[in-house]
Amino acid sequence: MKYFEDPTHAELYQTYRPTYPDTLIERICSFLQEKTPIPLGSVVDVGCGSGQFTRSLAKHFDDVIGVDISEAQISSARRLQHLNTTYVVGSGEAIPVPAESTALVTCATAAHYLDPNKFGSEIQRILKPNGCVAIVCYELVSCRYNGEKVEELEQAFKEVFMDKTTPYMESFYHLVRTKYADLELPFENIERDDSYTIEKDMMLSDFIGFLKSTALYQLFINANPTKPDPAIQFQQRAREILDVITPVHLLPVTMHFPVFLILARKTVSK
């Protein structure tokens, strides 16, 4: 099944999706540099969506290729294209680049949509000797108010939004809930790093926009067009919990999402 095909959904993705911290990109580059000399060459970003992670890579590499199966997402990404980035329609199971042509393959917030065996084979095919793969994603754990975790707010997020939407993506989302613990990759030496966090200050209305950009939300709405909107329900519940009358577009919150990173290197054949 394809996701993010609707242009309106792609615009939500471009507007509200967060970027990963710069320190995470530096960690990936550092891992690659252990066996790859500077300049670092090219990178292929699989499941690039509207290009947020692709653009973060652009300043570190000579050439960056963003690949996504959604034409709407690729069209959105091209509107903010850097000189050293190229966006192409393609899948993670059939990446449209030559064999042994890239130093790094990245996949941000997308590996759970892919066939792990086919994706693993494609990574092996396109990576240069000593090339690396970096797979990254984050957990959805609600937002914070005044920089503080609010237990009631997180519980409401789970009950009002997550419990209603995840059943419509259960076959994929279990990988996210387990931090990709069951994701199989064709590498022997795999490193994990769970030390990063996405922290982004925004208004509550922007956080609701982010929720509407998720596949969880889109699948729920498509299957239940007459049921109450879980994103709006959470918005209303959040205002009740915080006991504020401030309009949602003026109510500041902080997105706080734990990040998990998997790094691996292609073994050089002897």
Side-chain angles (χ1 to χ4, degrees), residues 77-98:
R78 284 173 176 162
R79 291 203 293 274
L80 295 175
Q81 188 165 332
H82 288 69
L83 291 176
N84 63 331
T85 59
T86 304
Y87 293 101
V88 296
V89 176
S91 73
E93 295 86 355
I95 304 170
V97 301

Side-chain angles (χ1 to χ4, degrees), residues 13-266:
Y13 204 95
Q14 182 70 270
T15 302
Y16 295 110
R17 282 290 172 131
T19 56
Y20 285 90
D22 290 340
T23 50
L24 181 140
I25 306 295
E26 292 165 3
R27 172 74 172 92
I28 294 171
C29 291
S30 177
F31 182 79
L32 179 60
Q33 286 172 4
E34 290 175 13
K35 293 186 180 295
T36 300
I38 297 175
L40 296 178
S42 63
V43 55
V44 175
D45 184 30
V46 175
C48 68
S50 50
Q52 284 88 339
F53 197 71
T54 319
R55 291 191 291 273
S56 297
L57 295 165
K59 64 182 179 181
H60 297 280
F61 293 86
D62 295 335
D63 298 291
V64 184
I65 301 173
V67 178
D68 200 278
I69 200 168
S70 167
E71 293 184 6
Q73 289 278 38
I74 290 296
S75 177
S76 180
R78 284 173 176 162
R79 291 203 293 274
L80 295 175
Q81 188 165 332
H82 288 69
L83 291 176
N84 63 331
T85 59
T86 304
Y87 293 101
V88 296
V89 176
S91 73
E93 295 86 355
I95 304 170
V97 301
E100 297 193 353
S101 62
T102 186
L104 175 68
V105 175
T106 61
C107 186
T109 330
H112 44 283
Y113 298 115
L114 306 177
D115 181 307
N117 293 324
K118 292 180 180 179
F119 179 47
S121 296
E122 279 294 87
I123 294 171
Q124 286 279 33
R125 181 184 69 83
I126 70 173
L127 279 179
K128 296 177 180 179
N130 289 320
C132 300
V133 58
I135 296 177
V136 59
C137 196
Y138 51 77
E139 298 179 86
L140 304 185
V141 293
S142 189
C143 53
R144 296 189 171 188
Y145 183 62
N146 286 335
E148 300 294 329
K149 179 179 178 180
V150 181
E151 294 286 354
E152 192 177 357
L153 190 63
E154 294 200 353
Q155 184 63 26
F157 180 71
K158 176 182 180 301
E159 294 175 355
V160 175
F161 186 82
M162 295 299 292
D163 288 353
K164 291 181 179 179
T165 59
T166 50
Y168 294 88
M169 199 177 161
E170 186 61 37
S171 60
F172 299 98
Y173 201 73
H174 75 280
L175 283 171
V176 179
R177 285 202 303 262
T178 59
K179 298 183 179 182
Y180 288 171
D182 298 326
L183 183 65
E184 296 183 1
L185 294 172
F187 299 97
E188 295 179 358
N189 299 314
I190 297 175
E191 295 186 14
R192 294 191 61 100
D193 190 338
D194 296 344
S195 65
Y196 298 95
T197 305
I198 290 176
E199 296 272 2
K200 184 178 181 181
D201 294 328
M202 57 178 56
M203 299 302 165
L204 180 59
S205 57
D206 296 322
F207 186 75
I208 300 306
F210 161 78
L211 294 181
K212 291 184 176 183
S213 79
T214 64
L216 295 172
Y217 174 87
Q218 294 292 330
L219 287 171
F220 175 90
I221 291 297
N222 288 338
N224 303 281
T226 62
K227 286 188 177 181
D229 185 321
I232 298 302
Q233 284 186 303
F234 172 69
Q235 174 181 281
Q236 294 168 342
R237 186 75 186 102
R239 294 185 71 194
E240 293 171 3
I241 291 168
L242 300 176
D243 193 25
V244 294
I245 60 173
T246 306
V248 293
H249 68 283
L250 296 175
L251 178 58
V253 297
T254 300
M255 176 184 287
H256 178 89
F257 290 167
V259 172
F260 44 98
L261 170 67
I262 300 173
L263 296 165
R265 190 183 312 278
K266 180 178 179 179

